[in-house]
Amino acid sequence: MSDQRFKVLLIEDNLGDARLIQESLADAKNELFDVETAGRLETAVLRLRAGGIDAVLLDLSLPDSQGWDTFDNVKAEARYAPIIILTGLCDEALALKMVKGGAQDFVAKIELSGGVLPRAIRYAIEREKSEQRIRRFNEELEERVQARTAELEAANQELEAFSSSVSHDLRGPLHLIDGFSSILEETHGALLNPEGRKCLERIHKGVLEMAGIIESLLNLSRLGRRQLKMQPTSLNEVVALVLADLKAEIHDRQIVWKVGDIPLVECDQGLMKQVLINLIGNSVKYTRPRDVAVIEIGQTTVDGEQVIFVRDNGAGFDMKYADKLFAAFQRFHRHEDFEGTGVGLATVRRIVQRHGGRIWANAELDKGATFYFTLGLGQASLTTAGVR
């Protein structure tokens, strides 16, 4: 920094102190200081607005301003110039508070000899430049994040619109296939041989499966646009409703249910029921080969975070494919063994993310799986069911 020249604004009403400060800066080695003086806040503000100041030396006691008011007014105008507070014997505590409030440094007037002030100015300017670089970097980073977020939101909206449009467009041809196959069965069914009738059955079955997939796609596309209806919800009560809905499906199954105390959370009750329908329904489906199925629903702590889980002793899956688990149409088992649209877990993830949470799973092939999820802000006031 040899022979570098700095423009310094000295805000000081005491002419004797102002002269001593100017002499101190005039004797500095390696730096050249051009010092301008202002004896009143009004004069200082006008000069700062004109720009071109590298550093400000500020006495807090001026004829037209005192203490914090002086500092606040100067700081508002010296946006990119560091402020060094000049203190008397009784002002150091106040000056230290101002450093915490945005001043770069403070120097006692009795310590102006020996190069203290030039060094303080030089360090203050360098710190201010570093802070400005950090601020610019943070602003650029924030702009990039906002731009990327906007791009992702636009992409999601386009994808949702595409899914909705495709799903609607597919319904028409599907209705035609179903309609004409039904007419064929009614008018010419008696003329068909067993193989022909089996082909018609496959057509009907395929139409039903396709209709289910289309409906799942439509529901998935609607999730991004649906307004959440947040309310305090007992997840134990929601689980009870889900098990009641499954009663007819599992009446001939031997299932050991282990339902723990699940928390009260702030959530969209309808969507949360869909999450539990999908997760518990999967456990029911993938434990079908078991003579005795064990399905557990409860709450636990993972890495200090409270999470809700659904665990079973079913077919499980290979964890090397876990990164694909929540993508639409990803299947880890043959459709002949376990039916489904391939959209259920994608729907669960979308709902959990809409609530500010996350979902993941641990599993072992042929030994079962555990699905964990959190609910973000809705879980912040999480309490044990029945206790408020």
Side-chain angles (χ1 to χ4, degrees):
M1 298 185 58
S2 178
D3 297 329
Q4 193 162 357
R5 184 176 293 276
F6 298 109
K7 180 74 74 173
V8 176
L9 178 61
L10 170 59
I11 306 174
E12 170 65 72
D13 66 319
N14 187 302
L15 296 179
D17 287 345
R19 186 172 61 254
L20 288 174
I21 292 168
Q22 289 174 306
E23 290 174 355
S24 174
L25 295 180
D27 293 338
K29 297 179 180 179
N30 299 326
E31 286 90 24
L32 299 174
F33 296 100
D34 292 335
V35 182
E36 297 184 30
T37 60
R40 298 176 62 86
L41 176 64
E42 181 182 7
T43 307
V45 167
L46 291 173
R47 177 60 189 88
L48 287 169
R49 288 176 180 172
I53 298 298
D54 296 310
V56 176
L57 301 177
L58 177 61
D59 181 16
L60 297 172
S61 297
L62 299 174
D64 55 343
S65 182
Q66 297 288 319
W68 273 105
D69 287 340
T70 305
F71 174 70
D72 286 340
N73 281 284
V74 171
K75 186 173 181 291
E77 300 297 337
R79 294 183 58 194
Y80 303 110
I83 300 172
I84 300 171
I85 306 297
L86 300 173
T87 70
L89 291 174
C90 302
D91 295 334
E92 288 195 8
L94 180 59
L96 185 58
K97 291 181 181 178
M98 291 181 179
V99 169
K100 293 179 180 179
Q104 279 289 355
D105 203 350
F106 70 93
V107 175
K109 292 180 181 180
I110 60 173
E111 298 176 347
L112 294 179
S113 60
V116 172
L117 188 56
R119 186 166 59 249
I121 294 173
R122 184 171 69 249
Y123 290 168
I125 291 173
E126 287 304 312
R127 283 195 300 270
E128 181 65 27
K129 287 181 178 178
S130 297
E131 290 176 4
Q132 288 180 23
R133 285 193 291 269
I134 293 171
R135 283 196 293 269
R136 283 196 297 270
F137 174 77
N138 288 336
E139 289 169 1
E140 291 173 2
L141 184 61
E142 180 66 24
E143 289 174 359
R144 291 178 186 176
V145 169
Q146 290 176 355
R148 183 59 176 153
T149 301
E151 290 175 4
L152 288 173
E153 288 176 352
N156 282 334
Q157 290 173 359
E158 290 177 3
L159 183 59
E160 289 168 2
F162 175 76
S163 297
S164 179
S165 175
V166 167
S167 299
H168 281 295
D169 291 345
L170 286 175
R171 279 180 162 176
L174 198 63
H175 288 155
L176 287 176
I177 294 171
D178 190 40
F180 280 110
S181 62
S182 295
I183 292 172
L184 179 63
E185 185 176 16
E186 291 171 4
T187 57
H188 298 84
L191 302 177
L192 295 174
N193 59 25
E195 185 63 29
R197 286 192 290 274
K198 187 178 290 185
C199 287
L200 279 178
E201 289 176 5
R202 289 176 179 172
I203 291 172
H204 286 307
K205 184 179 179 181
V207 166
L208 288 175
E209 289 178 358
M210 190 63 184
I213 292 173
I214 290 172
E215 188 62 32
S216 297
L217 270 176
L218 281 171
N219 290 335
L220 186 60
S221 68
R222 291 175 186 137
L223 282 177
R225 300 189 298 272
R226 171 171 168 168
Q227 186 72 30
L228 295 181
K229 299 177 181 177
M230 304 294 282
Q231 60 181 339
T233 302
S234 167
L235 292 188
N236 275 105
E237 293 179 4
V238 177
V239 169
L241 292 173
V242 173
L243 297 186
D245 292 343
L246 290 170
K247 190 173 182 179
E249 180 182 340
I250 62 177
H251 73 280
D252 59 347
R253 294 271 309 276
Q254 189 171 351
I255 300 177
V256 177
W257 293 100
K258 297 181 179 180
V259 181
D261 285 334
I262 316 175
L264 287 162
V265 296
E266 193 84 10
C267 67
D268 184 306
Q269 185 170 328
L271 290 181
M272 197 48 51
K273 183 180 179 184
Q274 188 63 56
V275 166
L276 291 169
I277 285 173
N278 289 10
L279 293 179
I280 296 172
N282 274 357
S283 289
V284 169
K285 177 169 63 177
Y286 289 110
T287 57
R288 202 159 48 209
R290 301 288 183 254
D291 292 333
V292 178
V294 180
I295 300 175
E296 184 178 1
I297 307 139
Q299 173 194 346
T300 188
T301 301
V302 177
D303 295 331
E305 184 177 22
Q306 289 179 305
V307 301
I308 302 155
F309 69 88
V310 177
R311 179 180 293 128
D312 63 62
N313 65 335
F317 59 87
D318 193 331
M319 283 296 290
K320 70 181 180 180
Y321 303 117
D323 60 325
K324 300 178 180 179
L325 186 62
F326 298 99
F329 306 119
Q330 294 294 326
R331 302 185 59 86
F332 294 172
H333 304 278
R334 296 191 315 159
H335 188 271
E336 293 81 359
D337 297 328
F338 300 105
E339 72 287 349
T341 62
V343 185
L345 288 179
T347 301
V348 168
R349 181 176 66 172
R350 183 72 66 85
I351 294 172
V352 169
Q353 288 176 339
R354 287 291 312 276
H355 283 77
R358 59 193 182 93
I359 184 168
W360 69 98
N362 287 323
E364 189 173 347
L365 194 60
D366 203 37
K367 291 189 177 181
T370 303
F371 285 81
Y372 303 91
F373 66 92
T374 66
L375 293 177
L377 294 177
Q379 207 168 344
S381 57
L382 185 136
T383 58
T384 301
V387 180
R388 293 296 275 178

